Amino acid sequence: MNVGYLTTEYPAVSHTFIRREIHALEALGLTVLPMAVRPSEHPLVEPADFQELMRTRYLLPGGTAELLLNGGLCLAGRLSSIAGAVSVMRRLAARSDRGLLRHVAYLLQAARLTRLSREHGLTHIHVHFGTNAAAVALLARRLGGPAYSFTVHGPDEFDAPIGLSLADKGASARFVACISHYCKAQLRRWIDPADWPKLHIVRCGLDPSWFEPPQPQVSTAGPLRLVTIGRLAPQKSFDVLIDALARRRMSRPLSLKIIGEGPLRPTLERQIAAHNLQSAVALLGAQPSSRIRDELRSADAFVLPSAAEGLPVVLMEAMAMGRPVVATHVAAIPELVTDRLNGWLVPTGDADALAATLDQVASTPAVRLDEMGRAAFDAVARAPQVPASAAALAALFREAATEA
């Protein structure tokens, strides 16, 4: 079975889970063509991503002129179906805040996707995220392209479910994969009840290599060593975490390493300096998985202060390495983190509550942190991993292929 895997940007630092999923599907015998609207705007740091870059096909290989030329040529060969596709495009544009011109670009991308699918013998397109790439897959289907499905992660899809036309995308898709129970529940709010049977929970699991026997904490005498990972963007709320560090009452020192890159770096640098935390907080930038493993091994706990999430893979990675976590009570995080069993759950955006929780972590005996780390390991180990998730997707792809 030949499947195209489409997302907005690929490969990308934040899309490692997609690469793992593609490779697991290929191990099951499927032929998978990675596809993306455009290459990532951010530098790659993972060696495996450079290999993915070479085999990925792009819907925007050049500038606007090339898009118009390629898209126009592709559309010229689909005259019998273009009227229906244009009608759908106009309906999507009417609900969106991105306007008609952007959706004309989506239609041109859809024409190229249809052509690439034919050239590579693709029988199905699977899209990660229900945003613009899913709109392209929907329009390609209207142009006579392959059937499609998509995985919804959140939070972006749930910020604008009407503007993203989730109901239309779900109605036309063969199935919709949801990464958590929370995600499925949110989709049921926006998709027609007649399409609810299309919703399937398929988690973004971990590669089994991430699971290591939990390493014991060395001691509680030195600084509390914390790590957090994520894009330096508003939804990750790293500013709240830095404020919390400044509001702590306990005298035990701590160190925080922030792994990730993004537009808020200058803001965070100023905030760190304003609180005189330069010696305690380090912005490490984007790092490959090998460095992330090393930092998690040397940490006492993992912190995730996000205001909005899906079910973060970095959270699962930290738990798989036996680290207790401090995380906000948002989205599907409580499906993995149980307060005071394998971590701590805190209210979103509350720097005082987060500061008090960090003081609790600092005062927790090493033996208790070890117990919580083992409980974290056990919790994520019980969840489906990449091989199982890929097998579930492969079964859904084959079932979709049998539908009329």
Side-chain angles (χ1 to χ4, degrees):
M1 184 174 185
N2 294 340
V3 178
Y5 246 61
L6 176 66
T7 192
T8 302
E9 295 183 352
Y10 183 82
V13 171
S14 59
H15 291 169
T16 300
F17 65 92
I18 298 178
R19 168 165 44 80
R20 294 172 182 163
E21 193 170 274
I22 288 173
H23 291 182
L25 287 166
E26 290 173 331
L28 292 172
L30 278 71
T31 300
V32 182
L33 178 68
M35 312 172 81
V37 174
R38 59 180 179 270
S40 175
E41 299 175 353
H42 307 287
L44 302 176
V45 298
E46 199 73 49
D49 282 338
F50 290 99
Q51 298 177 13
E52 290 295 285
L53 185 65
M54 300 302 296
R55 69 177 187 139
T56 302
R57 298 293 181 268
Y58 294 101
L59 305 185
L60 292 176
T64 302
E66 187 169 352
L67 174 63
L68 291 171
L69 177 61
N70 278 297
L73 290 174
C74 295
L75 283 175
R78 320 297 303 180
L79 295 178
S80 61
S81 53
I82 192 171
V86 168
S87 176
V88 173
M89 178 203 71
R90 291 174 64 88
R91 186 167 71 247
L92 299 181
R95 298 196 191 103
S96 173
D97 62 356
R98 295 198 167 190
L100 181 61
L101 187 59
R102 181 69 63 89
H103 283 75
V104 170
Y106 294 166
L107 182 61
L108 294 172
Q109 294 168 29
R112 178 166 169 78
L113 175 60
T114 304
R115 182 174 180 177
L116 285 172
S117 299
R118 185 171 64 253
E119 291 174 353
H120 291 273
L122 303 180
T123 56
H124 190 89
I125 300 294
H126 186 68
V127 185
H128 265 283
F129 306 103
T131 51
N132 60 312
V136 172
L138 167 57
L139 292 171
R141 181 60 174 161
R142 289 293 181 268
L143 289 172
Y148 73 94
S149 54
F150 62 103
T151 294
V152 173
H153 296 256
D156 292 345
E157 295 97 334
F158 306 136
D159 286 344
I162 296 175
L164 290 173
S165 295
L166 284 183
D168 287 74
K169 293 170 181 174
S172 297
R174 288 293 170 85
F175 69 88
V176 182
C178 313
I179 66 165
S180 65
H181 290 286
Y182 174 87
C183 178
K184 183 177 180 179
Q186 292 301 305
L187 273 175
R188 284 165 63 97
R189 296 176 58 203
W190 303 108
I191 287 182
D192 192 292
D195 293 317
W196 287 356
K198 295 181 180 181
L199 304 180
H200 301 267
I201 294 178
V202 182
R203 297 192 182 272
C204 290
L206 296 180
D207 186 285
S209 66
W210 268 93
F211 288 87
E212 297 184 1
Q215 300 297 313
Q217 308 299 321
V218 176
S219 128
T220 54
L224 179 70
R225 299 161 300 180
L226 303 174
V227 172
T228 188
I229 304 169
R231 180 164 163 73
L232 306 186
Q235 74 182 48
K236 297 299 182 181
S237 294
F238 291 137
D239 59 313
V240 176
L241 176 56
I242 293 169
D243 278 345
L245 299 186
R247 299 183 191 190
R248 293 178 62 237
R249 296 179 179 274
M250 190 174 179
S251 60
R252 181 185 176 188
L254 59 74
S255 67
L256 170 67
K257 294 181 178 179
I258 302 177
I259 298 175
E261 197 52 83
L264 287 189
R265 173 182 272 270
T267 301
L268 297 177
E269 288 174 337
R270 289 192 294 269
Q271 185 184 12
I272 291 167
H275 289 305
N276 197 27
L277 291 170
Q278 297 95 321
S279 62
V281 182
L283 295 170
L284 302 185
Q287 297 294 333
S289 59
S290 58
R291 176 70 181 276
I292 290 173
R293 287 175 187 258
D294 289 341
E295 295 297 343
L296 288 172
R297 285 191 191 101
S298 62
D300 295 307
F302 177 77
V303 186
L304 194 74
S306 302
E309 281 291 354
L311 184 56
V313 173
V314 292
L315 179 72
M316 293 186 278
E317 290 173 345
M319 296 175 73
M321 297 192 71
R323 292 296 170 258
V325 300
V326 178
T328 44
H329 199 294
V330 297
I333 288 175
E335 294 180 27
L336 270 184
V337 181
T338 302
D339 192 39
R340 302 178 189 276
L341 174 64
N342 53 28
W344 290 263
L345 290 172
V346 297
T348 308
D350 190 334
D352 288 326
L354 182 53
T357 300
L358 293 178
D359 281 339
Q360 290 181 34
V361 179
S363 64
T364 300
V367 63
R368 177 58 185 151
L369 289 177
D370 289 343
E371 292 172 353
M372 297 179 76
R374 286 193 292 271
F377 176 93
D378 291 341
V380 75
R382 288 193 295 269
Q385 306 312 324
V386 169
S389 297
L393 279 172
L396 288 168
F397 293 154
R398 293 188 177 104
E399 180 180 342
T402 64
E403 297 178 13

